[in-house]
Amino acid sequence: MNLDSLYDKFFATYPIYQRFRPIKSFRDLHDWLWFTEIIHNFIDGK
């Protein structure tokens, strides 16, 4: 899955947050959270 489809899926799953969809910083945060290294750091407790 690419980041665009994950972003779309987020808003399909949580339509209450639609007002944040056009906000660039929200998109940047979403993309940042999906970086593999960041996910591994959270899991490893780093």
Side-chain angles (χ1 to χ4, degrees), residues 1-39:
M1 230 181 232
N2 66 30
L3 290 178
D4 289 333
S5 63
L6 288 170
Y7 196 68
D8 292 338
K9 185 176 179 178
F10 173 82
F11 289 107
T13 305
Y14 304 103
I16 193 171
Y17 298 112
Q18 285 292 327
R19 68 178 186 247
F20 297 111
R21 190 177 200 136
I23 300 172
K24 184 182 179 330
S25 59
F26 190 83
R27 176 62 189 251
D28 292 344
L29 174 62
H30 173 271
D31 292 352
W32 179 79
L33 288 171
W34 277 100
F35 285 139
T36 305
E37 182 177 312
I38 301 301
I39 294 170

